[in-house]
Amino acid sequence: MPATTVLTARALLLDMDGTLVNSDAVVERIWRRWAERHGLDGDEVMKVVHGRQGYASMAVLLPDRPMGQNLADNARMLAEETADMDGVVPVPGAAEFLASLRGLPHALVTSADVALSTARMAAAGLGMPDVRVTAESVGASKPDPEGFLKGAAELGVAPADCLVFEDSGAGIAAGRAAGMRVVGVGVRAGGCRPDVLVPDLRGVRVEAGAGGVMRVYVG
């Protein structure tokens, strides 16, 4: 791979946790407590939960439990997460990256709900994109591609012309299933075969081009 990879796109679709916002400290606290309550190994639980909505993670971890219990548990955990912003910080380069996208087609596509995504972006000092696809917007969690496809549709851009920024295996799989190219951000993305990988957003630069085509420099 060359030192700098240049990609073109008509829209960018951005995951939040692990991509724009580092919320790992909160996620670890909440999910390790949940694992302990259910007699599960915390390390194994943490391998599953990133990128997915909570109920979907629970369905993987407790496959015999009724979905109604997962949904109720998920609602309680979302409330816990929304009340806990201790340690929530921006991914390095996130503020500058978002500022460079002003006036360009982009959307937040997150497994968090409106309350949690609003709280975490604010805690990290990041501006919220005008177009958002949150947990309330979709019927299926990542790795299902629904969220990314909905983001593309809301921006009026064909999936093949979108570039996804993601940190998790579930999110990268969702982007690929949507027919999109994926920039992996951070250590978690490294083993998930994104099209290109950066340690954080300081290595990304976006330029507006002719005909609505952006040039995205990664590396």
Side-chain angles (χ1 to χ4, degrees):
M1 185 182 296
T4 300
T5 300
V6 183
L7 303 168
T8 58
R10 292 185 177 275
L12 306 186
L13 303 179
L14 316 174
D15 174 53
M16 182 182 72
D17 291 302
T19 301
L20 298 172
V21 174
N22 182 344
S23 56
D24 282 2
V26 181
V27 174
E28 288 268 346
R29 282 195 294 273
I30 298 290
W31 278 99
R32 286 187 182 276
R33 285 202 299 263
W34 182 89
E36 187 174 358
R37 287 198 298 270
H38 293 281
L40 299 174
D41 181 272
D43 291 339
E44 294 303 312
V45 167
M46 295 313 302
K47 293 176 183 177
V48 172
V49 300
H50 291 290
R52 292 179 170 87
Q53 291 190 44
Y55 76 85
S57 295
M58 294 170 195
V60 172
L61 294 161
L62 297 173
D64 297 325
R65 191 165 80 152
M67 184 55 72
Q69 286 184 292
N70 294 339
L71 291 169
D73 218 358
N74 183 56
R76 286 191 293 271
M77 290 183 70
L78 280 171
E80 285 184 58
E81 290 186 83
T82 303
D84 185 354
M85 292 296 127
D86 188 20
V88 173
V89 295
V91 167
E96 295 81 2
F97 175 62
L98 286 171
S100 75
L101 298 183
R102 289 186 190 127
L104 299 175
H106 67 287
L108 188 74
V109 181
T110 176
S111 293
D113 63 5
V114 169
L116 181 57
S117 58
T118 300
R120 281 191 178 158
M121 291 288 280
L126 299 176
M128 182 69 82
D130 292 335
V131 178
R132 287 159 259 174
V133 179
T134 61
E136 297 94 337
S137 309
V138 298
S141 169
K142 299 172 186 176
D144 190 282
E146 181 185 358
F148 286 124
L149 292 171
K150 184 160 189 175
E154 291 198 18
L155 292 170
V157 175
D161 291 328
C162 293
L163 187 61
V164 167
F165 284 74
E166 263 286 359
D167 75 300
S168 71
I172 290 169
R176 287 194 175 283
M180 301 172 183
R181 293 151 298 145
V182 182
V183 176
V185 180
V187 174
R188 267 193 300 272
C192 303
R193 296 185 302 141
D195 293 281
V196 62
L197 178 67
V198 288
D200 56 48
L201 294 170
R202 289 175 294 187
V204 181
R205 183 167 57 89
V206 180
E207 289 181 356
V213 175
M214 290 177 266
R215 292 174 64 84
V216 182
Y217 298 83
V218 182

